[in-house]
Every structure is written in C-alpha cells, then in structure tokens.
Amino acid sequence: MSDNWWREAVIYQVYPRSFADANGDGMGDLAGIRSRIPYLSALGVDAIWLSPFYASPQKDAGYDVADYRAIDPRFGTLDDFDAMLEAAHEAGIRLIVDLVPNHSSSEHEWFKAALAAGPGSAERDRYHFRDVDPAKPETPPNNWQSVFGGPAWTRTPDGKQWYLHLFDSSQPDLNWDNPEVHAEFQSILRFWLDRGVDGFRIDVAHGMVKAEGLPDTGGDGTIEMIGTTRSPFFDQDGVHDIYRTWRPVIEEYDGDRIFVAEAWTDSAERRALYLRPDELHQAFNFDLVLAPFKAVDFRKAIDAEIANNAGVGAPCTWVLSNHDVQRHVTRYGDGPIGLARAKAATQLLLALPGVVYVYQGEELGLNEVLDLPDEVREDPTFFRTNGEQIGRDGCRVPIPWKTEGPSLGFGDAAGWLPQPEGWSEKSVEAEDGVAGSTLEFYRQAIALRKAHKASGLTWLDEPSADTLAFDNGAVVCVVNFGDEPVSLDGFDGEVLLASADLAEGRLPAGSAVWFAK
Ligand code: BGC
C-alpha cells in the first residue's frame, strides 16, 4: 500500500565527501554519515538523498562512476553501506541514492574495453564514437561544447576516433540507443533496490538521449547545465521512453520507492512531462534556484509549478541549494542580509505544498566559500575553463560540527577543502540548543510543517508589492522580499514561527512569518 510519503517529504541532501569523516583521511565517508543519523533524525527530515559514493577516480567528485555496484574505498565498503542504510531505516529515515546513467567514468570496464576493441566494435557502440576526418583531424564531429568548458569531444589515444563527453573527458556519454545499456541500468536499479534503497535521484535525467545524427546546436555550441534549454542533447523526447521502462521495475518493489529527476528544462510544462504517471515521481524545480530574491519571480515560479504538476498529479519539488549551485545565503547577498533572506525563503518553501530538499549545511546558515585557494580546487569546471570559472567547490566545503579541531569536527584531520574563518560559530556545536540559531530555526520550521500540513495554496492580498502572502490550508505565510519593514495589520492568529523579530507588528526586510489558522 502506498503511503505517498514522497508527496510531502523534507529530504536532506548528503554530499558524502563533505559530510562527516569517520576515518580521518580528510574525506567524508559512509561510517561518518551513519554516525550522524541521530542528528538528521533530530532535524526531522524524512529521507536522505546521497550523492555518489561508487567506485570512481573522482574526476568529477564521484559523478564519474567506474563501477556502479561497488563502493569507493575512500567512502567505505558495501558492509558500511548496509549498516548506514539500516541505521537510517531504524531512525525512520529513507535513503535515495544517486544514479548516473548519462555517462560512466573513462575508468569503467566498458570504456576500457571499448578503447581496446577498436572502431566498429560492439564495445564501442556502448558509447558515442565517431571517426576522425583525416582531412580535418582537429575538427570534432559537431560543435557541441562540454558543460564544463571546451569541446565535448576528445580523440582516442590512437587518434583515430573521437568520443563524446557532455561533461569532463573522463566522463564518456553512454549510447542509449544500445539495448545493452538499457539492460545494464535495469540491472543496476535492481542491485540497489534489492539492497533496500528507497529510490534514485537521476543525474542529468534530461540528457541521455541525443538527437539522431548528432546535429550541431545553434550558435557556437556552448552549453550550460543551468539555463540551457532544449538542444540536440538535452530534453529530447526519447528520454521519456527510458523512464517508462524504469517505472515498472521500481513498482515491483514494495515500500513506495521513488525516482527524482535532475532535469533542467526551459519551462515547467517540459518538466512536468517527466512526471507523467508512468514515468518519474519528482523533478527538482530549479526555477527558484535561478530566481532573484523578488516576490514577483517567486510567485511566477510557484504558480507555474503548481499548475503544471497538478496536470500530471505529481508533487512540486522545491529546492534552493545543492552541490552544483552557489549557496542561497550568498546568492541573496551574503552576510546578515543574505542569511536573513535565506531563512525567509526557506520558511516560504516549507509552507508550500509538495516536497522540500535541504542541502547539507544550509540548516547552519553556511555561506558559499568564494576564496578557496586555486591549489585546493577539484571541480573540473575550474580546469576546463583555465580558471575563468571557479566552479562549484565553494558549496562543497566540509561541514563544521564542532567549534574547534583541525576540521571543526568534520574529522580528526584537515578536510579535503579548508573551512573559512567564521565557521566555528556556524558549527552544529555552536548552534545546537541556542535560541535564534539557524539550526534551531530549521528544526522548529520542519517540526511545525509536519504539525500543520499544507493542503493547497491560495494567494492573499499582500501588504506591499515586495511581499507575498498565502494560505496553505493550515497556516498563513507572509514573506517580505523588500528592503523595508511592512505592516502586518490585517493578519491575525497565533504566530507559529517568524524568521526575524516582529517588532511593532511589522515584518522586517527579508523575513517570513507563519500564522496559525
Ligand atoms: C551533477 C553534477 C555533475 C554532473 C555530471 C550534475 O547534474 O549534479 O555534480 O557534475 O551532473 O554528472
């Protein structure tokens, strides 16, 4: 029997490299995650989404998978995985793992076999290889550019063929026209479902199918994950056929397990297609990641999502931060105002009908670390753009658990990225039990959201143009996006939660309030 937990869950993203390091090697691990399950339980989350922990050369922080059924030794063993999963389940927390089907690592057995087997072989057909034109040996087969910068094609070591990689050259794209690829991923799904996982986050869910003939894109072929609309390699209609074959697989298993899509689309309409009843369960709404902190932009994104997802009977899936984007405290201006706005935006999200994803560390009010030294950076974006783009390392800095220690309690040694000045005061130890801390705010907000469940959304007259006000069936939420306080005259009821002090009945700039109904 389905309990539909996933229609209203709060799901916490754990980035394994940076969450908790149990063995003191500077990198987080599965045993570290297991040791922090009580913390997640106290936060009140329903599920964890775990970024990749599979065997990988870590050229893209694990999104370059060399063996989809093995744990990277840096993170532990399969036994550690099972123990972590069991601890999560005992605490009533579900676990969603990351599946990376668009590309493998160049260290995957299949790719090694493809290079060894040569042009025209069945092994090469699992990827996208194309002959080098002897008349133009430097010109790739088309104009596609890698999301991380530079051409999306690299020549094989013998110089005879090119292979396609939408991301780093160490991440060759799999050929989803090949039935073997389909069979292999169905088997990988079953491997993890048999182990008891509660679902999968599908990486680049809009990218697996490429337009026939691999035609040039318009313009200079430059693509960005964020903001790229439809192209010959993104959001092709053929991806939906894949999901229609996956849905029956997951349905065979009990326990209401789910798929969540990372699908960057150019509209809420296109995104909703991934959520048709025979496809996936959730798809991240990235519109609020892209939106400025403005009432009009938030309202537009919320309205579009609610309308389109209602059409396919799927929950809205809200998110403000993840391991690929600048942390929302920093997007909204950093410092006290950035943090105030971030809390207000989070409080708004937690009042919306649907699912909310929380990225590790946002509950501590962590900011993006913008000034990491170049020597410690690992994001391939940094290298492939020759440092022009600093990349995503700044949102991946290890979590501060304690006020002191070589990595502020992340582990017994320095972490793989250094933590900045000021993170001691943002540590779990510094915030735990402290009234007014960001951590206590998140705990309270998540608990209240559970006690006052949203059943819909009705916009109310807002007290100013920079404000949004709505009734979700259980609470009235008012958010001030502006730079001046606004009067709350006309709103009554018990104040359940306010992200800032409501002095003289006014809602301060960059803050939110919930009234009980
Ligand atoms: C992941 C990124 C990764 C890319 C390639 C993205 O969607 O979230 O972290 O670099 O896919 O796998």
Side-chain angles (χ1 to χ4, degrees):
M1 243 335 237
S2 143
D3 69 1
N4 279 352
W5 64 275
W6 49 274
R7 291 182 176 274
E8 55 186 33
V10 175
I11 304 182
Y12 185 95
Q13 181 188 355
V14 168
Y15 193 66
R17 294 168 70 97
S18 307
F19 191 59
D21 171 19
N23 66 0
D25 67 353
M27 185 149 297
D29 43 46
L30 299 178
I33 299 167
R34 181 181 168 206
S35 74
R36 303 295 181 183
I37 298 286
Y39 169 81
L40 297 177
S41 203
L43 186 57
V45 302
D46 302 292
I48 298 169
W49 151 33
L50 200 53
S51 283
F53 45 77
Y54 310 107
S56 157
Q58 300 286 313
K59 299 277 193 216
D60 182 22
Y63 282 94
D64 48 322
V65 180
D67 184 344
Y68 290 87
R69 297 178 184 81
I71 309 288
D72 194 280
R74 294 171 187 86
F75 299 127
T77 62
L78 270 176
D79 284 346
D80 292 330
F81 179 85
D82 292 340
M84 179 200 59
L85 179 59
E86 197 184 331
H89 281 170
E90 270 170 17
I93 296 176
R94 301 183 199 242
L95 184 78
I96 295 170
V97 296
D98 219 308
L99 185 74
V100 189
N102 179 67
H103 44 266
S104 73
S105 161
S106 52
E107 296 293 311
H108 191 285
E109 285 307 320
W110 273 10
F111 194 72
K112 293 200 268 185
L115 288 185
S121 60
E123 287 84 352
R124 287 215 175 175
D125 190 56
R126 295 168 178 150
Y127 294 90
H128 296 278
F129 284 90
R130 291 293 181 275
D131 287 339
V132 168
D133 177 350
K136 293 182 290 177
E138 302 299 325
T139 309
N142 66 22
N143 74 345
W144 298 1
Q145 300 291 300
S146 153
V147 171
F148 294 152
W153 296 90
T154 291
R155 268 186 310 219
T156 52
D158 64 9
K160 292 190 178 145
Q161 285 202 306
W162 298 93
Y163 67 90
L164 174 69
H165 53 88
L166 290 183
F167 295 89
D168 188 50
S169 55
S170 63
Q171 295 166 293
D173 279 51
L174 287 156
N175 174 15
W176 279 87
D177 287 333
N178 183 322
E180 263 190 281
V181 173
H182 287 256
E184 174 64 0
F185 274 87
Q186 294 219 5
S187 153
I188 293 165
L189 288 175
R190 288 180 191 284
F191 178 86
W192 293 102
L193 289 167
D194 288 339
R195 286 204 107 75
V197 304
D198 299 287
F200 300 89
R201 175 260 189 190
I202 305 166
D203 189 62
V204 200
H206 58 315
M208 288 125 85
V209 170
K210 277 74 182 174
E212 208 178 322
L214 311 185
D216 280 352
T217 64
D220 64 2
T222 301
I223 52 170
E224 289 183 31
M225 186 78 152
I226 300 177
T228 289
T229 53
R230 291 177 72 192
S231 71
F233 43 80
F234 278 164
D235 200 21
Q236 290 287 309
D237 289 333
V239 289
H240 298 289
D241 297 335
I242 300 175
Y243 302 132
R244 289 193 192 103
T245 66
W246 286 9
R247 183 70 181 242
V249 173
I250 209 165
E251 298 285 352
E252 279 173 33
Y253 290 79
D254 61 7
D256 215 14
R257 309 187 199 198
I258 64 158
F259 291 115
V260 51
E262 184 214 21
W264 294 85
T265 59
D266 63 3
S267 65
E269 285 95 324
R270 293 289 307 175
R271 185 164 50 241
L273 297 179
Y274 291 76
L275 300 172
R276 287 174 286 192
D278 55 350
E279 297 195 37
L280 309 177
H281 302 76
Q282 303 173 346
F284 297 113
N285 174 316
F286 292 121
D287 298 349
L288 291 180
V289 170
L290 301 176
F293 187 73
K294 287 205 171 122
V296 59
D297 295 280
F298 268 63
R299 179 159 174 169
K300 197 168 142 210
I302 292 166
D303 278 340
E305 185 75 355
I306 290 178
N308 283 289
N309 286 18
V312 286
C316 300
T317 299
W318 310 106
V319 55
L320 292 169
S321 284
N322 66 29
H323 67 294
D324 288 331
V325 300
Q326 200 174 73
R327 285 186 175 276
H328 61 289
V329 167
T330 302
R331 290 206 310 273
Y332 297 156
D334 238 335
I337 187 66
L339 179 58
R341 290 173 177 163
K343 286 166 71 178
T346 297
Q347 192 172 337
L348 183 158
L349 250 61
L350 288 169
L352 293 174
V355 182
V356 175
Y357 277 75
V358 171
Y359 176 49
Q360 68 178 35
E362 66 169 83
E363 77 280 16
L364 302 173
L366 297 187
N367 51 293
E368 183 84 4
V369 184
L370 296 168
D371 57 356
L372 287 168
D374 289 353
E375 315 80 79
V376 302
R377 292 194 180 280
E378 292 201 11
D379 185 351
T381 311
F382 178 75
F383 302 105
R384 290 188 62 91
T385 62
N386 294 319
E388 222 169 86
Q389 290 178 34
I390 60 171
R392 303 160 293 175
D393 292 307
C395 62
R396 301 174 176 179
V397 173
I399 296 297
W401 293 92
K402 296 210 152 71
T403 53
E404 284 177 16
S407 53
L408 301 176
F410 166 65
D412 291 337
W416 67 281
L417 288 173
Q419 294 145 324
E421 293 279 315
W423 274 25
S424 170
E425 295 92 83
K426 292 178 193 275
S427 66
V428 173
E429 186 181 23
E431 297 196 18
D432 187 23
V434 174
S437 71
T438 309
L439 178 57
E440 291 304 333
F441 168 79
Y442 266 74
R443 285 176 176 162
Q444 224 184 328
I446 292 171
L448 283 165
R449 169 187 158 94
K450 287 216 167 99
H452 303 263
K453 287 193 176 165
S455 55
L457 183 144
T458 310
W459 295 108
L460 304 174
D461 286 344
E462 55 277 338
S464 83
D466 289 333
T467 309
L468 291 182
F470 61 90
D471 178 339
N472 74 7
V475 303
V476 166
C477 176
V478 189
V479 187
N480 182 0
F481 289 83
D483 297 326
E484 301 295 331
V486 294
S487 161
L488 287 170
D489 279 359
F491 292 95
D492 44 32
E494 180 202 350
V495 172
L496 289 173
L497 181 70
S499 67
D501 277 347
L502 304 181
E504 294 157 22
R506 299 193 312 165
L507 186 62
S511 68
V513 61
W514 289 345
F515 295 99
K517 283 197 58 196

